[in-house]
Amino acid sequence: MATASQSMPDLITEAQAYEERFLRQIFVRDQMAEWSKHPLIMARAEDVSYWDVNGKHYHDALSGIYVASIGHNNRKVIDAIKEQFDRLTFSPAMHGTNPVAVQLANLLAELAPGDLEAVKFQCGGSEVTEAAIKLARQYHRLTGSPGKYKIISRYQSWHGSTLGALSASGLKARKTVNEPMAPGFLHVFPPTCYRCPFGKTYPSCELTCATIIEQVIAMEDPETVAAIMVEPIGHTGGVIDPPEEYLPMLREICNRHNILLIFDEIITGFGRTGHLFAAETFGVVPDVLCVAKGMSGGYAPLSAMICRRPIADAFWGPIESNPGFVEGHTFEGNPISCAAGIAVIREILDRDLCGNAREQGARLRAGFERLAERHGVIGDIRGKGLFQAIEFVRDSVTKEPLPDAFGVRVGRRALEHGLLCRFDPNWIAFGPPLIVTAEQIDSMVAILDRSLGEVLAETGA
Ligand SMILES: Cc1ncc(COP(=O)(O)O)c(C=O)c1O
């Protein structure tokens, strides 16, 4: 209880952070009681390594969670942030911005493909996917189509935790407990070629997963549809890497019906797929590009929504008819975060980390292929650059999944052996920092190999 003259209480020690009684004071995303038996509590990090509070070492095959694009403890970035700390730590987002935010916005306008030029900064991914939804709706109001409000996105997608972003997301496990969702959101099946929802095979399918979206639009009435929002490569669902025609087809559908195409590149942005943006990897310019995670590499919270010039121009005009973009958060364009973003992007470009993502991505693919051959339980390998996954099956012909959350067991065993990766009951994904070396990729694959072998031996599969 606060008193008039309260002094600072003693902090618990770092080692105590493992004790259940202290863990009860914090929420994490996992089932808490289960998690607290083996809590993962990181104390420090360097390059592609973490150490927990007990001093145990982990290879970071996940960039934290697709965030630490240039690795941990990069001195150039830390120095840039320190310099900014001495100059300006916060500026009034309500009434203006600051020079570093304008510098970063102009840098993004230079780097983003096509005429993606106008930037709205926020702190996290959910904030910008939600901003993109609002932008689409307001844009149509400003340009004479006020009836366009519906957002089409995909099952198995993840666009964030806030209620608008969650309504666009397609994961029942994360949505059902929060229902009802916001109205005006529709979902279509993603391009999961390995398990086609239409029972077809690529390429003879002629991409039903894309053409059916146009049918959905026709049924809904194109005059009510504001935007299609997709991750170029979907993450949840096991790294859903579309056939090359898919995103160009979505682009054409959007053009035909005056619908905005929004790419959620929260994971794929800033080099992960081997190009600065997956939009370049697939050769498609969306109307709105959402980026976060890897842009500031975890050095400070930062995200951005970048939209095409003609769309941004609709938001200029006399105040009587156009109030500007009605969207904002207190910490948007924070100067510390923007300084971190500029320094991280400089590292990505100066060190050609997109090139390294392509090179080490090829090595990772070869490693996964070796595991598939050796263990016989990997049915599919998917993804691009340093964003790749393997899907486990009991039988590669029937594609029957392995029982008992096999992937989770392998992932947990890998954690015990000092490897951090993303695991799910049926798949495991790697997304290491873009600075990863060939030797580090080999070490990561070797730990996965060992973990997979041990769990298979225990399962008797
Ligand atoms: C593709 C994608 N979009 C949006 C988000 C939401 O980002 P945040 O958790 O920063 O709000 C995530 C988070 O993992 C994501 O992976």
Side-chain angles (χ1 to χ4, degrees):
M1 164 119 30
T3 59
S5 60
Q6 196 172 20
S7 55
M8 174 79 175
D10 288 341
L11 289 181
I12 65 161
T13 66
E14 225 180 67
Q16 283 176 320
Y18 262 124
E19 292 179 30
E20 194 189 320
R21 65 193 166 122
F22 294 115
L23 290 174
R24 291 183 86 94
Q25 265 68 264
I26 194 164
F27 278 108
V28 296
R29 288 209 200 164
D30 275 10
Q31 204 283 330
M32 281 295 304
E34 192 53 35
W35 175 82
S36 63
K37 291 181 197 156
H38 308 284
L40 184 65
I41 306 181
M42 298 308 193
R44 70 185 181 90
E46 180 89 36
D47 293 332
V48 300
S49 290
Y50 272 113
W51 287 266
D52 71 13
V53 295
N54 279 342
K56 178 176 169 177
H57 173 259
Y58 299 81
H59 294 271
D60 183 7
L62 193 55
S63 306
I65 180 71
Y66 306 107
V67 168
S69 49
I70 58 156
H72 304 275
N73 204 14
N74 178 300
R75 299 320 300 179
K76 284 189 184 161
V77 176
I78 291 169
D79 287 345
I81 295 173
K82 280 182 178 165
E83 267 178 44
Q84 186 58 43
F85 265 119
D86 288 336
R87 215 173 296 140
L88 177 75
T89 54
F90 183 78
S91 65
M94 183 81 191
H95 306 294
T97 185
N98 58 75
V100 231
V102 180
Q103 279 176 331
L104 178 57
N106 279 274
L107 178 62
L108 294 177
E110 279 288 311
L111 296 173
D115 56 355
L116 284 160
E117 288 175 1
V119 180
K120 178 82 172 172
F121 288 118
Q122 301 292 4
C123 299
S126 311
E127 289 174 358
V128 282
T129 52
E130 188 124 355
I133 292 165
K134 289 183 178 172
L135 179 101
R137 288 179 173 173
Q138 200 187 332
Y139 167 77
H140 288 302
R141 276 177 181 260
L142 290 170
T143 54
S145 304
K148 279 180 166 286
Y149 70 96
K150 291 177 189 163
I151 308 295
I152 298 179
S153 53
R154 301 186 307 205
Y155 293 116
Q156 292 185 300
S157 64
W158 183 242
H159 299 296
S161 290
T162 53
L163 265 175
L166 189 65
S167 300
S169 299
L171 278 187
K172 63 176 187 285
R174 297 186 193 175
K175 291 175 73 169
T176 309
V177 291
N178 285 302
E179 284 180 340
M181 292 287 117
F185 290 85
L186 306 167
H187 293 86
V188 292
F189 283 100
T192 40
C193 291
Y194 186 61
R195 295 180 187 278
C196 177
F198 307 101
K200 297 187 175 180
T201 306
Y202 176 79
S204 62
C205 63
E206 293 181 351
L207 284 98
T208 304
C209 51
T211 55
I212 207 163
I213 297 176
E214 193 152 26
Q215 293 177 37
V216 170
I217 292 166
M219 290 292 165
E220 288 290 329
D221 181 356
E223 284 313 307
T224 66
V225 181
I228 297 177
M229 178 152 78
V230 295
E231 300 153 75
I233 299 179
H235 175 237
T236 43
V239 181
I240 301 170
D241 190 3
E244 58 181 357
E245 305 92 322
Y246 177 82
L247 292 171
M249 286 170 80
L250 259 51
R251 178 68 275 178
E252 280 171 22
I253 293 169
C254 286
N255 291 349
R256 271 198 292 278
H257 299 290
N258 185 25
I259 290 170
L260 299 193
L261 180 61
I262 303 170
F263 277 1
D264 174 346
E265 292 222 34
I266 307 294
I267 289 181
T268 55
F270 291 95
R272 189 138 297 284
T273 66
H275 298 94
L276 211 46
F277 304 100
E280 294 164 305
T281 304
F282 290 100
V284 173
V285 180
D287 297 299
V288 186
L289 182 67
C290 299
V291 287
K293 295 183 184 270
M295 173 166 52
S296 59
Y299 289 85
L302 177 67
S303 60
M305 184 207 75
I306 314 169
C307 75
R308 291 186 48 230
R309 184 80 263 159
I311 293 160
D313 285 348
F315 289 80
W316 290 83
I319 194 159
E320 315 82 66
S321 59
N322 184 341
F325 183 23
V326 187
E327 156 70 9
H329 291 266
T330 300
F331 289 114
E332 67 183 49
N334 177 272
I336 301 294
S337 300
C338 291
I342 292 170
V344 168
I345 294 169
R346 180 169 287 136
E347 281 287 270
I348 292 174
L349 297 177
D350 286 354
R351 296 166 67 179
D352 186 23
L353 295 183
C354 295
N356 195 52
R358 292 195 295 276
E359 195 180 326
Q360 301 314 328
R363 194 172 185 97
L364 178 61
R365 175 64 60 120
F368 281 165
E369 281 164 0
R370 276 197 311 279
L371 298 196
E373 225 164 84
R374 181 168 312 149
H375 297 287
V377 290
I378 295 174
D380 199 23
I381 304 173
R382 301 185 284 266
K384 290 192 167 38
L386 288 172
F387 183 34
Q388 296 194 43
I390 50 178
E391 180 168 336
F392 298 114
V393 286
R394 190 204 288 272
D395 181 321
S396 60
V397 178
T398 64
K399 301 181 184 173
E400 183 194 346
L402 279 154
D404 305 327
F406 181 82
V408 173
R409 289 169 60 205
V410 175
R412 290 222 169 105
R413 182 60 55 87
L415 259 184
E416 279 171 33
H417 292 319
L419 176 76
L420 178 69
C421 60
R422 174 68 158 82
F423 49 85
D424 206 75
N426 296 319
W427 53 272
I428 276 183
F430 274 25
L434 310 180
I435 58 165
V436 73
T437 62
E439 295 70 32
Q440 287 160 340
I441 288 283
D442 293 349
S443 306
M444 291 170 183
V445 172
I447 297 178
L448 183 61
D449 186 11
R450 176 179 164 203
S451 309
L452 184 49
E454 286 175 4
V455 174
L456 275 173
E458 288 161 13
T459 313

